[in-house]
Amino acid sequence: MGAISTSLRSQQISTSITLAISARAAAMRADGQDVISLGAGEPDFPTPEPIADAGVGAIRDGKTRYTAASGTPQLRKAAAKWFERFDLHYAPDEVMATAGAKPALTMALMALVNEGDRVLLPTPYWPSYPEMVKMVGGVPVDVTPSDGLIPTREDLENAAREHDAKGVMINFPNNPSGAVPTGDQIEAMVDGADATGMWIMSDEIYARLVYDDNVHVSPASFEKGRDRTIVVNGGTKSHSMTGWRIGFLAGPKDVIAAAARLQSQAIGNPCSISQEAALEVCNEADDSEFERRKAAFDERRQFLHEAINAIPGLKLDRPQGAFYALVDAREACAARGIDDVALTEQLLVEALVAAVPGTAFAFPGFLRLSYAASMDDLEKAVDRIRGFLSK
Ligand code: PMP
Ligand code: GLU
């Protein structure tokens, strides 16, 4: 035992499993092992050139000083306009810039959650959500949708009443399942939250990545949702900006003002250079580069859907959005007498393919594969998984 001890709260927080798995895959690669990482969801494309140029220009032009903590006035204005893409209409003071979607979620939770407040997390959910809720003193409550991947109005209402929950965190297009609800399904969730007085934290970071006939609909686009929803979005995934650490939070003015006060003390302003680059994302007039990249994700999605279903013991429903495939590995696990955590470990060590176990998303028996990887890597990974499972 050292001379000082860490806080009880920090002891309750586990490290990000998605980041830990990608760090482990990177370490194995550095060690000379030919690991294919379908672990962390990070686009394999570089940041588009005009955005990178805007960042370089910002450094050259001396835009390297503190800005207003909630972002430059230009960026807040441009972001408010950018939200119109998603049928969301915000004034600049209803939008703030943050250092990525993670701080957006954390600042918003800090602005909303009192000690002991229960927050509903429909499963499957991104592993950072329960940790973030605990970090701000709240209590995460898992909610299993009664029918598949999308919670119904009754699911939310029943859980809200049973646990006296104050809010719900939803994420569509979903990480890890790729589920994209219809507008009616989203509206039903809004009605459930409205009937029980809950706030909705809507993580829409994958909003632009929807395939086939799917359309992304935000709960904040409904009249009853507008005043009870806090929206998280940004260019992290759509514009390959994972390392830039820039994102947006939008919602009722008072909540944004509270999150901005917290951010001013905890983070200060998000990186001034990244803000200039984000301005370019918001003002982007030509979608062709984005569409080209989206088409590449789509091609990989279709490849993985067919290839995984051709492997005995694995099943995959066609993912509808984001860049994840949530593979049903229950048969493969049962055949080997192991769970998804052990299967993921064996795949990494013996087949040199990094994936994330469904258990991390409160969805045991499944494996998450990220298809934000090259076609070449996906083909090799599928071969390795098939070979491994046939042994
Ligand atoms: N929300 C979800 C659902 C995610 O998958 C991620 C992963 N990056 C984030 C938020 C965090 O995004 P950022 O890198 O912008 O913090
Ligand atoms: N969100 C990505 C994932 O789920 C990246 C890792 C992270 O930010 O935790 O893999």
Side-chain angles (χ1 to χ4, degrees):
M1 184 82 152
I4 55 170
S5 52
T6 55
S7 69
L8 294 178
R9 185 168 287 177
S10 74
Q11 290 169 27
Q12 287 174 18
I13 308 300
S14 47
T15 201
S16 161
I17 180 166
T18 40
L19 293 182
I21 287 173
S22 59
R24 188 159 163 219
M28 286 171 74
R29 261 200 307 276
D31 230 24
Q33 292 178 273
D34 172 31
V35 175
I36 299 173
S37 185
L38 307 186
E42 173 160 38
D44 53 321
F45 302 115
T47 305
E49 224 166 289
I51 298 170
D53 286 348
V56 172
I59 298 175
R60 297 228 180 276
D61 294 346
K63 292 187 172 159
T64 50
R65 307 175 73 94
Y66 291 137
T67 70
S70 34
T72 63
Q74 295 88 321
L75 182 56
R76 293 178 83 181
K77 197 167 156 212
K81 177 117 188 58
W82 175 80
F83 272 106
E84 287 178 7
R85 270 183 181 276
F86 310 104
D87 197 24
L88 298 176
H89 305 279
Y90 290 112
D93 61 1
E94 293 173 309
V95 175
M96 68 185 262
T98 62
K102 268 182 179 161
L105 290 159
T106 317
M107 294 302 128
L109 284 172
M110 224 189 283
L112 290 168
V113 174
N114 285 313
E115 196 70 27
D117 279 359
R118 304 219 169 87
V119 177
L120 303 183
L121 304 181
T123 61
Y125 51 70
W126 186 47
S128 290
Y129 294 162
E131 306 312 301
M132 288 171 170
V133 170
K134 288 188 280 175
M135 270 162 57
V136 303
V139 180
V141 177
D142 288 12
V143 178
T144 309
S146 49
D147 181 24
L149 299 167
I150 293 166
T152 62
R153 171 180 179 154
E154 290 70 36
D155 292 337
L156 295 187
E157 274 197 50
N158 293 343
R161 296 214 166 90
E162 183 185 345
H163 299 282
D164 186 25
K166 300 290 184 271
V168 57
M169 292 178 79
I170 59 173
N171 163 227
F172 295 108
N174 182 260
N175 175 4
S177 70
V180 180
T182 61
D184 286 351
Q185 287 173 312
I186 290 282
E187 188 173 20
M189 291 180 226
V190 170
D191 289 343
D194 186 58
T196 49
M198 287 193 293
W199 49 257
I200 302 170
M201 183 82 68
S202 184
D203 180 348
E204 304 178 19
I205 195 71
Y206 297 99
R208 295 200 62 195
L209 294 169
V210 291
Y211 312 103
D212 300 334
D213 297 335
N214 290 285
V215 179
H216 169 71
V217 178
S218 172
S221 66
F222 295 96
E223 205 184 315
K224 282 188 198 163
R226 175 76 167 71
D227 292 339
R228 59 176 66 255
T229 302
I230 301 91
V231 178
V232 172
N233 208 329
T236 308
K237 309 292 178 173
S238 57
H239 289 74
S240 304
M241 295 182 76
T242 46
W244 292 79
R245 311 313 304 139
I246 187 83
F248 302 124
L249 188 65
K253 194 173 149 187
D254 291 353
V255 180
I256 297 302
R261 288 197 302 277
L262 293 157
Q263 172 157 290
S264 77
Q265 300 294 3
I267 294 177
N269 61 271
C271 171
S272 60
I273 301 153
S274 301
Q275 288 191 58
E276 291 299 310
L279 204 49
E280 185 68 28
V281 175
C282 294
N283 294 336
E284 188 178 52
D286 174 7
D287 277 351
S288 54
E289 177 59 18
F290 166 75
E291 290 299 338
R292 196 183 63 74
R293 293 173 179 213
K294 189 176 125 178
F297 287 137
D298 192 4
E299 190 191 348
R300 298 161 184 191
R301 171 184 77 114
Q302 297 187 42
F303 163 76
L304 211 50
H305 179 232
E306 276 184 29
I308 291 292
N309 281 317
I311 299 177
L314 299 182
K315 273 192 230 129
L316 175 62
D317 288 339
R318 202 174 166 86
Q320 305 297 321
F323 38 56
Y324 303 104
L326 190 59
V327 177
D328 184 348
R330 285 175 292 188
E331 221 181 290
C333 286
R336 303 179 153 249
I338 55 175
D339 64 9
D340 56 294
V341 177
L343 182 62
T344 311
E345 180 65 23
Q346 290 183 3
L347 278 174
L348 178 60
V349 175
E350 295 175 39
L352 300 181
V353 175
V356 186
T359 294
F361 308 95
F363 222 68
F366 286 69
L367 302 180
R368 188 195 79 175
L369 305 180
S370 160
Y371 55 85
S374 70
M375 203 57 165
D376 211 36
D377 274 358
L378 288 173
E379 282 169 359
K380 270 198 259 169
V382 164
D383 282 347
R384 289 183 190 183
I385 295 171
R386 188 191 304 105
F388 174 76
L389 289 180
S390 68
K391 273 195 262 164

